[in-house]
Amino acid sequence: MKVDTLVYVVLGIMVCVSLVLFWWFNSSAERRARQLLRAVLTEEQYRHLFRWGYLDIPSPSYPQRFYRVPRAPGIVHLIENGRLQANLCLQPYDEVPEADFVVIHKLMIEADEQTYLLKANRIVPIGTTAFNDGDLVELGRFFMMYHH
Amino acid sequence: MGMLRIISCRGDDRRLWNEQDALAGDAEAIAALREVERIFAQERARGATAFRVEAGKPVERLGQFDPQASQIVMVPRVVGG
């Protein structure tokens, strides 16, 4: 066998091994994250999340408010009195498996809602009203307002 | 028996401790408890937030390590997206 052929074979094997290790690491992390999700959610919440693709978390501070957290990483909807009031974007600084996103949102909303709201970037949808530093702000129909 | 779960890229890293054994003077249990306390403080210093998660009880944010908690989940530092 020629040397260059041998090099290609070795490189091919290394790529395959790397792919297998990458897949194994990711699936193992995702499995552990699912176990944590299972431990944090009730049976009903867990089933709802996987059936509908989101989880509604009632606000501990505002009775008419809840947060709609998607199963996959993405925007959280803040819904109050049946109306979408804002889209919230918050993510961990370090990379974590998908299932952990739901855990993070749930724990922070339920136990530390004010910090959650302070840290999340807020996108207020078109044509809604929103509170900005305590003042009710009427937004234009065709504009979105970003809060930091 | 308590469990500390630290959310990470590996899913979660778990550490166990047994407060009863530590209080009874078991050297191994005391060492495990000290190690969990050290990891807790280290993660807090890195910006993580700790929550006590127990079945049937509301989630509670923890400022300090509580050896009596049955499960503590540590969430890494979060930022606005």
Side-chain angles (χ1 to χ4, degrees), chain A residues 25 29 32-33 35-36 39-40 89-97 100 103-104 107-108 110-112 115 119 121, chain B residues 5 7-14 46-47 49 51 53 58-61 71 73-81:
Chain A
F25 182 81
R32 290 176 73 92
Q35 287 171 357
L36 177 60
V40 167
C89 192
L90 184 88
Q91 59 191 34
Y93 188 74
D94 301 321
E95 191 183 337
V96 299
D100 280 336
V103 174
I104 290 169
L107 296 182
M108 290 201 71
E110 289 186 347
D112 200 8
T115 305
K119 288 193 173 180
N121 277 342
Chain B
R5 305 176 87 152
I7 293 177
S8 71
C9 62
R10 291 175 293 278
D12 65 330
D13 300 317
R14 298 169 197 177
R46 289 183 61 214
T49 312
F51 299 94
V53 179
V59 179
E60 185 188 339
R61 183 178 169 165
Q71 183 171 238
V73 179
M74 296 200 82
V75 168
R77 184 156 67 100
V78 292
V79 290

Side-chain angles (χ1 to χ4, degrees), chain A residues 60-114:
Chain A
S61 320
Y62 308 94
Q64 301 301 319
R65 176 187 293 181
F66 67 88
Y67 299 85
R68 181 158 290 176
V69 178
R71 193 175 81 182
I75 299 291
V76 172
H77 300 311
L78 189 164
I79 298 169
E80 199 163 298
N81 295 316
R83 287 185 65 199
L84 175 65
Q85 295 294 330
N87 294 316
L88 304 173
C89 192
L90 184 88
Q91 59 191 34
Y93 188 74
D94 301 321
E95 191 183 337
V96 299
E98 273 192 19
D100 280 336
F101 277 77
V102 178
V103 174
I104 290 169
H105 286 295
K106 184 181 189 306
L107 296 182
M108 290 201 71
I109 290 168
E110 289 186 347
D112 200 8
E113 187 182 12
Q114 296 313 314

Side-chain angles (χ1 to χ4, degrees), chain A residues 113-144:
Chain A
E113 187 182 12
Q114 296 313 314
T115 305
Y116 180 85
L117 290 171
L118 279 175
K119 288 193 173 180
N121 277 342
R122 180 181 291 215
I123 306 164
V124 180
I126 298 165
T128 63
T129 53
F131 284 99
N132 185 9
D133 295 333
D135 298 324
L136 190 63
V137 177
E138 196 73 39
L139 302 174
R141 280 191 67 174
F142 303 104
F143 298 96
M144 298 177 87

Side-chain angles (χ1 to χ4, degrees), chain A residues 8-25:
Chain A
Y8 286 129
V9 168
V10 170
L11 281 174
I13 291 170
M14 285 170 69
V15 168
C16 289
V17 169
S18 302
L19 287 172
V20 167
L21 285 175
F22 180 74
W23 171 84
W24 178 83
F25 182 81

